[in-house]
Amino acid sequence: MFRRTRYQQGSLRLEERKRGSAVWVYRWWENDITGKPIRRKVQLGCLERYPNESAACAAADALRLTINNQSKRNNLQKTTVNTLWEHYCREELPLKEISTQDAYLVYGKKWILPRWGNLLLEDIKTIEVERWLRAAEVADGTKAKIKCVMSAVFSHAVRWEFCGHNPISSGIPVGTGGQRGPSTGVRVSAKRQKSPLVLSPEEVILGLAQLEFRDQILVFLDGALGIRQGELGALHWLDCDFNNMNFSVQHSYYWRRGGHLKSTKTEASAKLLPMHPSLKLALLEWRSLSLYNQPGDFVFPSERLKGKKPLDLASVLKKKIQPAFKRIGITGVGWHTFRHTVGTMLAEMGEHQLMIRDYLRHSDLHVTNKYLQATTKSKRLAQGKLVDAILPGGVLSGSKSTLIH
């Protein structure tokens, strides 16, 4: 005989500990693989984090959604965005890269929860979210990222059957057919407000002349390889194969939360990069001067932290790189500026797009195209060729207008 799954409220109790403050403990029943009921418990947090039972109960709501996933009781449909966010942070967010987790938490706590947190999932409407985003006084790219985070959270809700549709990405109830995508969901533009800064070779040379040796190598290496900031920080001496003259970029460094060494973004990002003789000589000289020159040491270590972590490149950029370029009249330089510069320079030199894609280690050619810009000089040369083809004589005069058949 079929037995309906009961909806469990669970029990919440404040328990004392031998050391430290008291903690809130949540208990519930769960069936094992044989169907035998087992008592489970989890610590929600200490008394300082949840000063009263009401706050602890609100924190338990996300866990209650998980243990009652098989229940068809209407309680699951009366879920607020706050509760959904807690559930998403518990079940799905930890599976993402730590840098992605931090970005999602910022967008959630600063933008999404203050506006939508207390509303029920069924009260979130596509047009209302769209109007809210359009009125927000932030860049279009930020609006698109907020939308992306909201869409991910509601996709999580659909997967766990807390609601029937994702109002952010489609607005179409699951199972009703139709097209999914931005045409029926929240519409916001991700258009750039201005093109990324790209330096000319002459500007890079002038900037290098303003820097000390260590910072010259940082800019030279980034300007020649176009690697990402995290990859530059994570570079170890064992990644530099001086015999075969290759770089093996296998890791990226994340400076927050005490620092984390993680794998590169994609499989394409882990491809070898060539080492020019000039790069080799500069790095060997830097290695002879560095206090940390063993294979397992960082190429650019933090001396303050005794080489245990890489140099804080954000601080170097702010204190050294940007002031140097500002002295020659260039503002807004970032580490990614050199990556855009590499792509544009290679395109100006006539290199094929596939080669540029592999050099920048993109997995998609569409991403590479965003890094390529035509300089004013190249556009002027192209225009000259067009005008010469249309008007071989080079002069168009109203007094001597001639129609060529």
Side-chain angles (χ1 to χ4, degrees):
M1 182 178 179
F2 174 76
R3 294 184 62 185
R4 185 176 62 183
T5 304
R6 292 189 310 163
Y7 185 92
Q8 293 190 73
Q9 293 292 345
S11 64
L12 185 65
R13 181 179 296 179
L14 184 65
E15 296 185 357
E16 297 292 337
R17 293 190 297 178
K18 291 183 179 179
R19 294 183 179 180
S21 60
V23 294
W24 293 100
V25 178
Y26 182 76
R27 288 182 170 85
W28 74 98
W29 289 98
E30 184 176 286
N31 292 336
D32 64 10
I33 58 175
T34 65
K36 181 181 178 181
I38 299 176
R39 190 73 162 168
R40 301 288 191 189
K41 72 173 183 178
V42 66
Q43 291 184 1
L44 293 178
C46 62
L47 192 60
E48 283 79 6
R49 185 176 181 183
Y50 304 111
N52 52 54
E53 187 174 0
S54 177
C57 283
D61 284 343
L63 187 58
R64 198 172 286 120
L65 287 177
T66 301
I67 66 176
N68 288 293
N69 188 44
Q70 300 300 319
S71 173
K72 300 300 181 184
R73 186 169 165 179
N74 288 335
N75 298 53
L76 292 175
Q77 304 300 324
K78 302 300 180 181
T79 303
T80 64
V81 174
N82 271 327
T83 302
L84 173 61
W85 176 259
E86 291 294 331
H87 190 271
Y88 177 79
C89 291
R90 181 185 295 273
E91 297 290 335
E92 190 164 333
L93 191 59
L95 302 178
K96 296 184 179 296
E97 288 283 357
I98 192 168
S99 55
T100 304
Q101 292 179 35
D102 284 352
Y104 274 41
L105 288 172
V106 169
Y107 290 122
K109 293 179 180 179
K110 185 175 181 180
W111 292 98
I112 300 171
L113 297 184
R115 172 62 180 85
W116 308 100
N118 294 325
L119 296 182
L120 296 175
L121 301 188
E122 61 189 27
D123 294 334
I124 305 299
K125 305 300 181 184
T126 302
I127 295 300
E128 291 301 316
V129 176
E130 185 174 303
R131 287 175 175 171
W132 169 66
L133 284 174
R134 288 182 176 179
E137 296 181 354
V138 292
D140 288 345
T142 302
K143 295 177 185 178
K145 289 171 184 175
I146 295 171
K147 174 197 167 183
C148 179
V149 174
M150 286 191 73
S151 180
V153 173
F154 273 92
S155 292
H156 176 79
V158 172
R159 289 176 57 244
W160 281 78
E161 299 182 12
F162 302 150
C163 62
H165 72 284
N166 184 339
I168 311 303
S169 68
S170 69
I172 301 175
V174 174
T176 59
Q179 297 293 322
R180 297 175 63 86
S183 60
T184 52
V186 174
R187 300 176 183 175
V188 292
S189 173
K191 183 181 178 181
R192 288 171 171 162
Q193 294 178 326
K194 61 179 182 180
S195 298
L197 175 64
V198 172
L199 304 174
S200 68
E202 294 76 18
E203 289 171 332
V204 175
I205 293 171
L206 290 174
L208 285 171
Q210 300 289 322
L211 296 167
E212 297 176 356
F213 184 55
R214 183 204 66 186
D215 302 325
Q216 282 182 335
I217 296 178
L218 279 166
V219 171
F220 184 35
L221 195 61
D222 208 25
L225 300 181
I227 58 179
R228 303 172 181 92
Q229 177 183 345
E231 295 167 345
L232 185 61
L235 204 62
H236 290 73
W237 287 115
L238 56 83
D239 298 325
C240 306
D241 187 349
F242 293 108
N243 292 326
N244 297 311
M245 299 183 70
N246 283 318
F247 291 98
S248 177
V249 183
Q250 298 293 326
H251 297 95
S252 180
Y253 196 83
Y254 184 64
W255 278 267
R256 295 181 181 177
R257 299 199 196 184
H260 292 268
L261 194 67
K262 59 180 185 176
S263 299
T264 51
K265 289 180 67 175
T266 63
E267 183 180 343
S269 297
K271 292 181 179 179
L272 293 176
L273 280 171
M275 180 188 295
H276 191 276
S278 298
L279 284 173
K280 177 181 177 179
L281 291 174
L283 283 171
L284 287 175
E285 183 176 351
W286 168 243
R287 189 173 189 176
S288 68
L289 298 173
S290 176
L291 297 174
Y292 306 95
N293 50 27
Q294 298 304 306
D297 292 333
F298 289 106
V299 175
F300 301 103
S302 170
E303 294 186 5
R304 181 176 63 86
L305 299 174
K306 298 181 179 180
K308 295 179 179 179
K309 295 181 181 180
L311 201 61
D312 184 352
L313 294 186
S315 178
V316 173
L317 178 71
K318 182 178 180 180
K319 296 178 180 180
K320 301 290 185 179
I321 311 297
Q322 289 179 337
F325 279 90
K326 191 173 182 179
R327 287 195 290 271
I328 62 173
I330 302 173
T331 58
V333 173
W335 288 114
H336 223 65
T337 298
F338 301 107
R339 189 164 169 81
H340 282 278
T341 299
V342 168
T344 298
M345 280 188 183
L346 291 174
E348 290 287 303
M349 295 170 185
E351 298 294 345
H352 195 278
Q353 280 183 308
L354 293 178
M355 197 288 299
I356 301 174
R357 180 200 65 184
D358 289 346
Y359 195 86
L360 294 176
R361 295 165 299 117
H362 288 142
S363 57
D364 189 347
L365 191 59
H366 176 69
V367 178
T368 305
N369 289 336
K370 295 182 179 180
Y371 282 72
L372 309 183
Q373 296 183 44
T375 63
T376 301
K377 181 179 178 181
S378 63
K379 286 188 285 188
R380 195 175 300 279
L381 290 172
Q383 185 188 61
K385 294 177 183 178
L386 283 173
V387 172
D388 288 343
I390 297 170
L391 196 66
V395 177
L396 185 64
S397 172
S399 60
K400 297 181 180 181
S401 180
T402 305
L403 180 63
I404 302 175
H405 295 280

